[in-house]
Amino acid sequence: QLANEGLDYDVLIIGGGLSGIYSLLRVRELGLRVKVIEAGEAEGGTWFWNRYPGARFDSESYSYIFSFSQEVLDEWNWTEHFAPQTETLRYIQFLTQKFDLKKDMQFNTKIKSAHFQSPGNSWLLTDESGKQYSSRYLITAIGILNQTTLPAIPGINDYKGQAWHTARWPSDHSSLEGKRVGIIGTGATAIQTIQEIYKTVGSLTVFQRTPNWTAPLRNTKISPAEMVEIRAKYPEIFRKCLESYSCFIHVGDTRKTTDLSKEALFAHWEELYKLPGFAKVLGVSTDIATDREANRLYSEFNAKKIRERIKDPAVAEKLIPKNHGFGTRRVPLESGYYEAFNEPHVKLVDITGDPIERVTEKGIKTRDEEFEFDVLIYATGFDAVTGSFNAIDFQGTNNTKLKDVWSQGIQTFLGLTVKNFPNMFMIMGPHQMFGNIPRSIEYAVNWAADFIHYARDHNIQFVEATQENMDRWYRHVDECGQGLLANEVDSWMTGVNKNLAHKQRRSLTRYNGPAPGYRKRCDDVKARNYSDFVLG
Ligand code: NA7
């Protein structure tokens, strides 16, 4: 036990997704009093909210599973190589049941503010109803993509038909049958949605501002016999993930792209294209991420594949990204996305040529055309990473607001802590390794739990990052990103959201270096007994 008399809990955790439930497990193992507070009506986080048709992994199911429990690995069976949202949510529910987590979880509770109390060295959280909760430590497990953004287009409230954001999909999935549907966006979410809903809707109109590179997922079922083989390989799978740059099982090719002739390259890439999953994104030569000519060649290969799959050459050209190279934005994987545009009832509207002027009562008006819809779907993404933090009034020592600290650029130490916000650990905070998320969550939660464990054993009540270490971390994150073509492109990963006034310019949002290097740095801090921190 901590010497936390007078406090409701030793540790409060905001968020009941994968980060929150694993944090709960680890903190509970320390014998501490802990509570998860979750806004949704049930556990699952990202996988609770994103129920749009077609939502699924594009990393291998068995590389996504938590590795901490042999029992879970023995008992849980995946039925598809790339599990749909329904199966992932079932997996999360399986975890909460197995470890009886719900007794320490409170749902339907939105935290409005989190204020550090000094003196007292504790956190005081207030929910929307005004109820308060206090603890020594605070773990933020609030995700990186949950604050939905709608397009900054006039007239959104004028629309009289049904409309929703993909991350707020209504429970009645059958409701699109035969309907005239419009969808704005062609990011990862839109691609998964479009390739699924076009099969049943009456008509589908896709409003595209920026085409995205995407490549085949090639999902298949997992038979019970195959699941036995996968289970035997778990140690190897986790080892591969830990050794790789971004925690996936695919390992980058270290050969220089331009050492091979174009014919040899294209023949090699044809073989990769046939493979499932991110093989054709992460298994290619790593210089595609940094070398302009390598990237140009691989983009040319992928453009050729798109042209092969689209019947109308004019539509194919619209679907081929011209202003960013392959892999410089998140490459979602698709299953029949391009073929959807070969159907007569699916229309692609390139809004760079014919901009949307407004949403009307009946649908959308572009400069040249007016569209009527029964349903309008906003696949327009999120106020990523910092949006989750800005939705809560985080106040640290000396009344410092986190929003203000980050207003001119994100500052953290290890992506896990921030000066002036003592006793607070961020799971999947900015400047932290993301990659294959559960692998990164497991590491970050273990690191935070180990720190709390150490503090308890050494009677430490106060842990705080220093400005010097935050500055050093910023420089390190910046250096990791040098030379990456992805950092020359607007995307949520470079901090841009054109619908938000404060996110018009690129900023350093995520950790760009290799995951093993990230973990080594965090391990070193632990090995120094956290002496990089102010401990009190
Ligand atoms: P993304 O990747 O941010 O995509 C949002 C899409 O919506 C993208 O195509 C945007 O075009 C488009 N968008 C946003 N606002 C507008 C307006 N005003 N007009 C037209 N088009 C617009 O979000 P997702 O949900 O698809 O994916 C997020 C992550 O979730 C993904 O990376 C996966 O890791 C899981 P733009 O590109 O800005 O021109």
Side-chain angles (χ1 to χ4, degrees):
Q1 288 289 312
L2 297 179
N4 287 339
E5 296 86 3
L7 298 176
D8 300 330
Y9 300 96
D10 300 316
V11 183
L12 279 165
I13 299 164
I14 312 179
L18 284 168
S19 298
I21 61 175
Y22 186 51
S23 298
L24 171 54
L25 263 160
R26 282 299 323 267
V27 169
R28 208 196 248 175
E29 274 169 19
L30 298 176
L32 301 179
R33 297 169 306 145
V34 54
K35 173 93 135 191
V36 167
I37 302 182
E38 162 61 44
E41 69 198 41
E43 69 273 38
T46 293
W47 298 104
F48 170 83
W49 292 105
N50 287 273
R51 295 154 178 257
Y52 59 85
R56 67 170 65 244
F57 289 156
D58 42 21
S59 50
E60 290 73 8
S61 310
Y62 30 90
S63 74
Y64 201 93
I65 194 169
F66 278 139
S67 68
F68 69 88
S69 160
Q70 189 56 46
E71 257 179 68
V72 171
L73 298 177
D74 290 343
E75 289 170 22
W76 179 258
N77 294 312
W78 297 105
T79 66
E80 298 186 43
H81 281 271
F82 302 92
Q85 173 268 340
T86 43
E87 183 158 319
T88 308
L89 191 58
R90 267 204 311 282
Y91 161 67
I92 296 170
Q93 290 162 346
F94 168 79
L95 291 179
T96 49
Q97 270 167 27
K98 181 168 179 63
F99 297 101
D100 194 15
L101 297 180
K102 282 202 178 176
K103 70 170 192 253
D104 292 321
M105 298 178 84
Q106 179 175 321
F107 298 104
N108 297 308
T109 309
K110 215 173 194 169
I111 293 299
K112 208 176 64 181
S113 68
H115 290 185
F116 188 71
Q117 308 292 299
S118 41
N121 295 335
S122 60
W123 281 95
L124 184 65
L125 274 53
T126 307
D127 71 20
E128 276 189 334
S129 75
K131 192 167 179 307
Q132 296 195 310
Y133 315 78
S134 61
S135 64
R136 174 74 67 218
Y137 292 100
L138 173 61
I139 294 181
T140 66
I142 52 185
I144 56 175
L145 295 157
N146 59 42
Q147 296 298 310
T148 58
T149 46
L150 293 176
I153 308 174
I156 282 194
N157 294 328
D158 298 345
Y159 181 62
K160 297 269 194 287
Q162 288 181 293
W164 56 77
H165 189 280
T166 42
R168 296 292 178 272
W169 202 276
S171 44
D172 177 12
H173 286 206
S174 63
S175 63
L176 293 183
E177 230 168 285
K179 295 206 167 140
R180 297 167 303 168
V181 178
I183 181 164
I184 301 179
T186 44
T189 300
I191 286 169
Q192 290 194 332
T193 306
I194 290 164
Q195 67 196 15
E196 189 61 32
I197 63 172
Y198 90 93
K199 296 171 187 163
T200 54
V201 297
S203 68
L204 182 63
T205 307
V206 178
F207 295 90
Q208 172 185 273
R209 184 164 65 189
T210 313
N212 263 310
W213 293 106
T214 171
L217 178 67
R218 306 203 191 286
N219 183 32
T220 44
K221 299 268 185 226
I222 297 175
S223 69
E226 201 180 354
M227 191 59 228
V228 172
E229 287 169 24
I230 290 170
R231 185 165 283 125
K233 282 192 197 144
Y234 269 133
E236 191 190 329
I237 290 168
F238 296 134
R239 182 184 52 74
K240 271 193 190 166
C241 289
L242 282 177
E243 287 172 359
S244 75
Y245 197 98
S246 44
C247 312
F248 293 97
I249 57 173
H250 304 280
V251 177
D253 191 335
T254 50
R255 288 173 300 179
K256 206 167 156 1
T257 299
T258 47
D259 279 354
L260 286 182
S261 70
K262 190 169 163 185
E263 291 66 35
L265 278 173
F266 274 41
H268 171 56
W269 287 336
E270 282 291 351
E271 292 311 306
L272 281 183
Y273 198 77
K274 292 177 193 156
L275 298 177
F278 281 131
K280 67 286 263 179
V281 179
L282 302 168
V284 289
S285 289
T286 51
D287 65 3
I288 278 166
T290 50
D291 183 301
R292 282 176 213 286
E293 180 57 10
N295 190 281
R296 192 194 62 74
L297 281 163
Y298 197 45
S299 300
E300 186 185 325
F301 169 80
N302 281 281
K304 173 174 158 292
K305 300 310 292 178
I306 297 172
R307 290 189 186 105
E308 285 169 9
R309 291 173 59 183
I310 299 280
K311 285 185 195 153
D312 180 340
V315 174
E317 290 316 305
K318 284 183 193 168
L319 287 165
I320 295 170
K322 302 289 188 316
N323 296 324
H324 69 279
F326 188 94
T328 58
R329 295 173 121 206
R330 160 61 151 104
V331 178
L333 299 180
E334 51 78 35
S335 309
Y337 176 65
Y338 294 113
E339 285 69 19
F341 293 96
N342 290 333
E343 296 294 324
H345 70 294
V346 179
K347 181 179 167 88
L348 181 67
V349 178
D350 175 358
I351 63 167
T352 52
D354 182 15
I356 296 180
E357 283 185 347
R358 60 178 302 111
V359 180
T360 65
E361 279 189 19
K362 294 190 172 163
I364 283 181
K365 178 172 179 349
T366 61
R367 189 193 55 207
D368 300 341
E369 219 172 330
E370 217 162 329
F371 300 86
E372 288 188 12
F373 300 119
D374 303 310
V375 178
L376 194 47
I377 297 166
Y378 296 107
T380 43
F382 303 88
D383 180 358
V385 189
T386 49
S388 309
F389 288 89
N390 289 340
I392 297 171
D393 172 33
F394 284 98
Q395 182 177 290
T397 51
N398 307 317
N399 300 330
T400 312
K401 301 282 187 191
L402 189 59
K403 214 176 185 160
D404 296 337
V405 176
W406 288 352
S407 65
Q408 299 306 315
I410 294 157
Q411 299 182 62
T412 76
F413 180 43
L414 310 175
L416 283 152
T417 59
V418 184
K419 179 185 156 55
N420 286 120
F421 296 82
N423 299 2
M424 179 175 111
F425 300 101
M426 303 179 293
I427 308 304
M428 299 300 95
H431 294 181
Q432 188 169 135
M433 183 65 214
F434 297 153
N436 185 8
I437 295 269
R439 302 275 70 78
S440 300
I441 289 175
E442 256 183 341
Y443 182 80
V445 170
N446 287 338
W447 191 92
D450 288 350
F451 198 167
I452 293 172
H453 190 170
Y454 179 88
R456 180 191 65 181
D457 288 355
H458 294 81
N459 201 23
I460 292 165
Q461 318 272 327
F462 177 94
V463 310
E464 187 189 12
T466 65
Q467 188 63 47
E468 190 193 351
N469 279 322
M470 289 212 300
D471 293 344
R472 198 174 294 156
W473 190 251
Y474 185 92
R475 284 195 299 275
H476 166 63
V477 175
D478 190 28
E479 274 162 24
C480 289
Q482 294 300 321
L484 283 182
L485 298 172
N487 286 342
E488 299 173 9
V489 173
D490 290 347
S491 74
W492 68 262
M493 294 198 186
T494 53
V496 175
N497 183 326
K498 292 177 190 146
N499 296 309
L500 299 171
H502 65 285
K503 288 199 162 176
Q504 297 294 313
R505 288 178 39 208
R506 279 175 226 148
S507 62
L508 215 52
T509 301
R510 61 173 182 153
Y511 186 81
N512 291 298
Y518 173 80
R519 289 191 296 265
K520 166 85 171 67
R521 284 178 167 78
C522 297
D523 286 347
D524 287 349
V525 172
K526 180 179 165 188
R528 289 193 289 270
N529 290 334
Y530 310 100
S531 56
D532 302 58
F533 286 80
V534 176
L535 304 173

